[in-house]
Amino acid sequence: MLDLLPVSAALHGGTLSLGGTPAAALAERHGTPLVVYCAETVRERARSLARAVGSGHVAFGTKAFPNVALLRLLREEGIGADVASSGELAFARAAGMTGGEIVVHGNNKDEAFLREAGAEGATVVLDAPDEAALAAAAGVTRVLVRVTLGVDADTHEAIRTGHHGSKFGLPPTQARALVADALERGLDVLGLHMHVGSQLVSFDAQAETIVRLASFAASCRDTLGWSARVADLGGGFGIRHHPDDRVADAAALADAATATARTAFAEAALPAPELWLEPGRSLVGRAGVTLYRVGAVKRLDGRTWVAVDGGMSDNPRPQLYGARYTALSAQRADEPADEVVSVAGMHCESGDVLIDDVALPAPRRGDLLAVPATGAYTLAMASNYNGVTRPAAVLVADGEVRLIRRRETVDDLLELERG
Ligand SMILES: *Cc1c(COP(=O)(O)O)cnc(C)c1O
């Protein structure tokens, strides 16, 4: 279990601590649900991914958890931001990121967003046949072109992006025309972008895509006389959410990706490209742990329901992707886990089940549960379903605790109401 938790997690007797502070004290002070981020885990991940690209660039897939304090921490480690909306761009700028640190994505960027990206001097990833024209008109100067190379990743279909027919990017012939159009319009076309999908557990799909990227780059050189200086290999490295998950380590996957790209470009007699990566989940996923308070416990024929004070409003991944999580008792972890239970959320849906089955010390009202590996795509996808307020997040390190996102209040929600 400890290997799913942040690197600073420790068990003393039955008591879980994170970043040197007992989970119970965090829950007491900041309420539940609470997402606790370990600074050391984020830094350690940031360093190992940055190492893979050498003098290249790592941009955090901001959508995994848009948070100003975390973006600042990542920036201290030399990591930029990959943003896909005006809102995410504003978060990156609030964290002090500028210009070339920011990579702008989106399969449907509007004019206002392109103008903001242009004014910021960010690198814009072109994703539609007419987008070179729109970007040039909006004052954008530096671009990449996103190409879909037709490889099916072994991941949930909702987060697969590099296949033929994807809504993202363009297939090779159209992507090459877009490169030509961008060059004609005087844009600085730095290079090419690919992203195979998210929560990749092995290297096969990415390796195949990188090889195809190099031949596509060679075809651009041969037909347009243009060589990519940058190969942006996207993100997608998976993490383990459950003890049964078998997932290659993100740093090893990143090393394999960059090594493959270097070789493939060399074999195509192309200049060595600058390598960019856009990890989201693998930077912050393991760093986050969600703490929930147990409420109602129902022992029915054949099933025990343990209801917690959150659910699909703070983590919709079980419903969206069939994601599997585990949990541990944050205060009684030393007691035998002799009861198999289902952990339900508090929402008015039978499908609001966080964990189908997990063995815990016989749960009772008031227990504190810790759900590991919830740092990515949880709070980022949170909602106010059932009029629930979205949780707070804290950053912990060496016994210090910093609130990095305050809990919403019902007044925050009522503030939006009119009439
Ligand atoms: C979502 C996304 C990422 C980050 O993906 P992770 O799986 O979180 O690493 C990076 N680049 C693009 C273009 C994306 O859409």
Side-chain angles (χ1 to χ4, degrees), residues 285-334:
R286 183 182 167 189
V289 178
T290 307
L291 303 178
Y292 296 99
R293 191 69 70 184
V294 169
V297 178
K298 298 180 185 174
R299 293 187 166 86
L300 312 178
D301 271 352
R303 192 162 198 175
T304 295
W305 285 112
V306 173
V308 294
D309 53 357
M312 62 194 289
S313 57
D314 58 81
N315 183 359
R317 295 191 66 257
Q319 291 74 32
L320 285 171
Y321 317 112
R324 289 177 73 209
Y325 288 94
T326 189
L328 74 160
S329 172
Q331 290 165 288
R332 300 196 284 130
D334 55 343

Side-chain angles (χ1 to χ4, degrees), residues 59-64 82 105 146 161 168 193-195 197-200 234-238 278-282 376-377:
F60 170 53
T62 303
K63 69 178 190 273
D82 151 357
H105 274 286
R146 180 165 179 170
T161 57
F168 298 101
H193 175 276
M194 56 169 264
H195 176 70
S198 201
Q199 185 57 14
L200 306 174
F237 310 121
E278 303 170 337
R281 189 192 315 270
S282 54
Y377 303 106

Side-chain angles (χ1 to χ4, degrees), residues 18-22 25-26 29-30 34 36 393-404:
L18 298 163
T21 302
L26 295 168
R29 170 86 179 77
H30 295 281
L34 179 69
V36 182
V394 293
L395 185 67
V396 295
D398 305 322
E400 304 219 333
V401 183
R402 194 146 60 90
L403 184 66
I404 56 171

